[in-house]
């Protein structure tokens, strides 16, 4: 989807849909909003009449459509909810709600009237970024395997009118930068949505290699032979059951923009399909386990965004890719595997495979690159979904500054994150009788945090943050109606905008 900004008022643009925001009105409030005068003129008083009979309440998600009598398209009023709760994310959601509302209704262009999406606490720049974000992401659909589709919108425009025309150049740049990042999110979603027969570890390696060529990034792919030489016993064990899709560890290096100095490593769980292995999962919703690669695919997206937007720090991406399936060559409960850093892992449950592959990636990157910070992204535990739900990721960190930076970025991008504690109780639970650590516990408590305690033992003293994205990585048909309209069914590419934002804004350490 193309997005453009111009200084017209939006109603003269003659888009298929002209969209304006409307705040929730108080029970007794009959004053017609001044911001909607042009809309009313274009419908020759029809909107005012609708307002007078209380057809328009301005509640969130309320979409009221008027057909222009001059035949020049439709006017859509999208509810913004109460003024007191208005944030940039309200705008992001509203922009997406409009786009979604017209799916399959023959609309190709949408024009947002900026003046109706701003308030004292959401100024023009934030509103333009949020409109861009919501329009592009809300319009996303995974179409690769569909013979027909309704096409969706081809173009969105944001109209400044007289009110904001002075800032045209600055607002054009805000929108263009946001659209660049959103294009990366769309690209990431397209890969994360691929099924496991296509998106094998080898295919993910090929995507990384192609990305490296396009942007001049160094990309190294470790195949089974190299993984054996390196001593990556975790990835080899987890991937050992798959006959057709052997494991890969992929390392991407972005050298850093203008202000060199800091190195941030981003490590992702890339299980292309998680059947549970020998500790096999129940069948219900197992198809969703194609999304168990979402952390690694997010790493790919973050590296693409870093290279496109030229973020200041040097960024090292590590994708730990394997298919977890049962067969005669699978790893088993009771096995002891040796991770890259020499630590031994007792396998209790082959379905707790994410932490096993990440142990190699984390151990490798901290030894090889000595990063200032390491962030891992993983659809790691069902316990995360139980604790925080489908929209909010769990954060565990040994470094307050890093955690705070990620929480600030999360607030800006509207990708919710909640920090959770890590205590000795959790650390005790992953101790093993016969190895250095075990990959599961004997009592079923704090599953998100015992997983984090396991990971912590592979980062040494490095400043580290773990994002468990099991819930937010994808949207299922069931949860979609509870999610913002910019999360369509399927992969969300959660954390790509958030971590990119962090890389763009976080101050150097020290
Ligand atoms: N990939 C799953 C976690 C998951 C669950 C992701 C639901 C997305 C949605 C992970 O590998 C897993 O199976 N974890 C187990 C760990 C347990 C065996 C210790 C879990 O959370 O049940
Ligand atoms: Zn699993
Ligand atoms: Zn998994």
């Amino acid at each position: 989807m193309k997005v453009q900004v111009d200084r017209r008022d939006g109603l003269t643009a003659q888009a298929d849909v002209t969209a304006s925001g409307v705040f929730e009105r108080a029970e007794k409030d009959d004053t017609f909003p001044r911001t909607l005068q042009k809309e009313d003129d274009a419908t020759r008083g029809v909107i005012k009449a609708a307002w007078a009979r209380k057809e328009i309440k301005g509640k969130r998600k309320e979409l009221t459509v008027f057909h222009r009598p001059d035949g020049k398209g439709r006017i859509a009023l999208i509810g913004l909810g109460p003024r007191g709760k208005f944030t940039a994310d309200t705008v992001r959601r509203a922009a997406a709600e409009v786009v979604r509302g017209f799916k399959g209704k023959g609309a190709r262009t949408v024009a947002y009237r900026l003046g109706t999406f701003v308030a004292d606490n959401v100024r023009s720049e934030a509103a333009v970024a949020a409109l861009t974000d919501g329009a592009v992401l809300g319009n996303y659909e995974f179409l690769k395997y569909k013979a027909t589709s309704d096409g969706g919108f081809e173009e969105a425009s944001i109209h400044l009118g007289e009110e904001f025309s002075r800032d045209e150049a600055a607002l054009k740049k805000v929108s263009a930068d946001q659209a660049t990042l959103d294009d990366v999110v769309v690209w990431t979603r397209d890969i994360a949505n691929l099924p496991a027969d296509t998106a094998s570890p080898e295919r993910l390696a090929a995507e990384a290699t192609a990305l490296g060529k396009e942007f001049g990034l160094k990309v190294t792919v470790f195949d089974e032979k190299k993984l054996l030489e390196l001593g990556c016993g975790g990835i080899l064990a987890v991937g050992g059951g798959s006959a057709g899709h052997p494991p890969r560890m992929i390392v991407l290096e972005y050298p850093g923009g203008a202000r060199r100095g800091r190195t941030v490593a981003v490590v992702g769980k890339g299980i292309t399909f998680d059947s549970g292995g020998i500790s096999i999962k129940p069948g219900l919703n197992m198809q969703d386990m194609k999304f168990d690669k979402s952390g690694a695919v997010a790493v790919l997206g973050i590296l693409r965004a870093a290279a496109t937007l030229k973020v200041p720090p040097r960024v090292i991406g590590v994708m730990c890719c394997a298919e977890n399936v049962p067969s005669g060559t699978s790893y088993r409960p009771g096995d002891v595997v040796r991770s890259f850093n020499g630590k031994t892992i007792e396998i209790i449950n082959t379905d707790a495979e994410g932490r096993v592959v990440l142990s190699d990636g984390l151990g490798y990157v901290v030894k090889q690159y000595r990063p200032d910070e390491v962030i891992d992204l993983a659809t790691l535990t069902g316990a995360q979904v139980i604790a925080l739900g489908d929209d909010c990721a769990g954060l565990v960190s040994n470094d307050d500054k890093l955690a705070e930076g990620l929480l600030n970025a999360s607030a800006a991008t509207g990708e919710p994150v909640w920090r959770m504690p890590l205590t000795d109780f959790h650390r005790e639970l992953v101790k093993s009788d016969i190895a250095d650590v075990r990959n599961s516990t004997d009592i079923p408590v704090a599953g998100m945090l015992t997983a984090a305690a396991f990971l912590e033992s592979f980062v040494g003293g490095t400043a580290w943050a773990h994002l468990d994205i099991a819930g937010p990585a994808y949207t299922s048909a069931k949860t979609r109606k509870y999610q913002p309209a910019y999360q369509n069914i399927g992969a969300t590419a959660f954390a790509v905008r958030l971590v990119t934002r962090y890389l763009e804004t976080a101050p150097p350490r020290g």
Side-chain angles (χ1 to χ4, degrees):
M1 184 194 233
K2 259 182 50 197
V3 186
Q4 55 138 359
V5 172
D6 78 38
R7 56 200 304 155
R8 288 179 293 172
D9 72 11
L11 284 158
T12 54
Q14 299 182 11
D16 296 338
V17 177
T18 306
S20 307
V22 48
F23 285 106
E24 191 168 329
R25 65 201 276 187
E27 196 52 47
K28 286 180 234 95
D29 184 6
D30 284 327
T31 31
F32 184 71
R34 271 190 303 129
T35 48
L36 299 181
Q37 189 54 52
K38 287 207 165 111
E39 284 78 350
D40 187 52
D41 293 344
T43 58
R44 299 189 195 138
V46 169
I47 294 185
K48 246 182 209 156
W51 179 269
R53 67 174 171 263
K54 298 212 154 70
E55 187 181 334
I56 305 160
K57 298 199 173 54
K59 289 199 183 299
R60 275 191 175 203
K61 296 190 183 184
E62 175 196 82
L63 189 65
T64 319
V65 182
F66 300 90
H67 296 259
R68 288 171 69 158
D70 59 8
K72 289 174 179 165
R74 288 161 274 183
I75 292 178
L77 301 186
I78 181 67
L80 300 174
R83 273 180 192 276
K85 290 188 177 165
F86 184 66
T87 65
D89 199 49
T90 316
V91 180
R92 193 181 286 117
R93 287 169 187 242
E97 205 68 53
V98 171
V99 163
R100 178 175 294 180
F102 284 91
K103 274 260 148 83
K105 293 186 194 282
R108 297 286 168 264
T109 54
V110 54
Y112 295 98
R113 300 226 313 129
L114 181 61
T116 66
F117 293 100
V118 294
D120 289 342
N121 64 328
V122 181
R123 302 308 308 154
S124 53
E125 296 207 350
V128 164
L131 287 170
T132 306
D133 222 6
V136 178
L137 301 184
N139 195 47
Y140 175 79
E141 264 187 291
F142 182 56
L143 295 173
K144 185 177 161 71
Y145 300 106
K146 283 268 193 201
T148 55
S149 105
D150 57 34
F153 284 88
E154 283 154 11
E155 199 179 306
S157 48
I158 299 168
H159 296 274
L160 312 183
E162 276 168 26
E163 203 183 339
F164 303 105
S165 57
R166 302 182 297 292
D167 306 324
E168 189 181 1
L171 294 175
K172 273 199 154 99
K173 178 158 169 32
V174 167
S175 178
D177 286 351
Q178 188 65 49
T180 301
L181 180 54
D182 289 330
D183 285 346
V184 175
V185 173
V186 164
W187 179 85
T188 309
R189 284 182 180 181
D190 273 340
I191 297 175
N193 275 321
L194 291 172
D197 57 346
T198 301
S200 60
E202 285 163 299
R203 166 69 183 268
L204 295 179
E207 293 287 349
T209 306
L211 180 72
K213 283 225 171 73
E214 192 179 338
F215 289 91
L217 309 179
K218 185 172 173 206
V219 175
T220 315
V221 176
F222 297 97
D223 62 10
E224 307 98 294
K225 208 172 133 234
K226 298 237 185 64
L227 287 168
L228 195 62
E229 277 170 31
L230 270 182
C232 291
I235 295 180
L236 284 169
V238 173
S242 179
H245 304 306
R248 294 287 182 269
M249 185 167 80
I250 305 147
V251 181
L252 305 98
E253 304 181 41
Y254 161 74
R259 284 184 285 134
R260 284 174 190 242
R262 196 161 62 112
T263 298
V264 181
V266 194
V267 181
K269 168 177 172 180
I271 300 301
T272 57
F273 188 71
D274 183 13
S275 70
I278 298 292
S279 316
I280 199 161
K281 286 181 181 296
L284 188 69
N285 296 329
M286 206 204 272
Q287 69 277 13
D288 286 346
M289 285 302 116
K290 72 170 186 174
F291 296 117
D292 213 22
K293 62 184 180 298
S294 298
V297 177
V299 167
L300 203 54
I302 289 161
L303 266 288
R304 187 181 187 94
T308 310
L309 298 168
K310 301 194 172 59
V311 303
R314 175 181 181 228
V315 186
I316 309 300
V318 182
M319 301 160 64
C320 306
C321 302
E323 180 173 62
N324 187 24
V325 288
S327 79
T329 56
S330 295
Y331 78 140
R332 343 159 172 66
D335 285 0
V336 175
V337 306
R338 190 179 295 275
S339 188
F340 172 84
N341 75 351
K343 282 200 179 176
T344 53
I345 303 167
E346 180 189 8
I347 303 302
I348 303 293
N349 188 321
T350 64
D351 196 13
E353 82 298 335
R355 63 200 78 180
V356 179
V357 300
L358 286 169
S359 75
D360 285 329
L362 290 168
Y364 179 80
V365 84
V366 300
K367 169 146 191 272
Q368 220 55 38
Y369 293 90
R370 305 216 167 279
D372 298 287
E373 297 168 352
V374 50
I375 301 166
D376 77 72
L377 307 170
T379 49
L380 204 60
T381 66
Q384 182 277 317
V385 193
I386 304 288
L388 297 171
D390 286 89
D391 72 329
C392 182
L395 166 66
V396 174
S397 180
N398 62 4
D399 188 272
D400 290 346
K401 202 172 154 203
L402 173 56
E404 196 188 314
L406 290 170
L407 289 169
N408 288 340
S410 145
T413 64
E415 295 162 280
V417 168
W418 193 256
R419 189 173 180 184
M420 304 292 275
L422 196 54
T423 70
D424 283 342
F425 178 77
H426 309 122
R427 296 183 182 99
E428 285 298 321
L429 272 163
V430 292
K431 286 188 176 158
S432 162
D433 292 333
I434 64 161
D436 297 322
V437 280
R438 60 181 178 184
N439 81 332
S440 186
T441 58
D442 46 4
I443 54 169
V445 296
M448 169 170 39
L449 306 175
T450 53
F454 177 101
L455 296 179
E456 183 195 40
S457 65
F458 292 90
V459 298
T462 311
W464 158 75
H466 159 60
L467 282 170
D468 193 334
I469 58 170
Y474 62 94
T475 305
S476 62
K478 249 199 210 153
T479 53
R480 181 190 189 183
K481 64 174 178 288
Y482 306 107
Q483 295 274 26
Y486 54 78
Q487 312 286 36
N488 208 336
I489 290 180
T492 59
F494 188 93
V496 171
R497 288 181 300 127
L498 190 164
V499 175
T500 304
R501 171 89 183 190
Y502 173 73
L503 295 170
E504 283 181 312
T505 55
R509 295 187 81 81

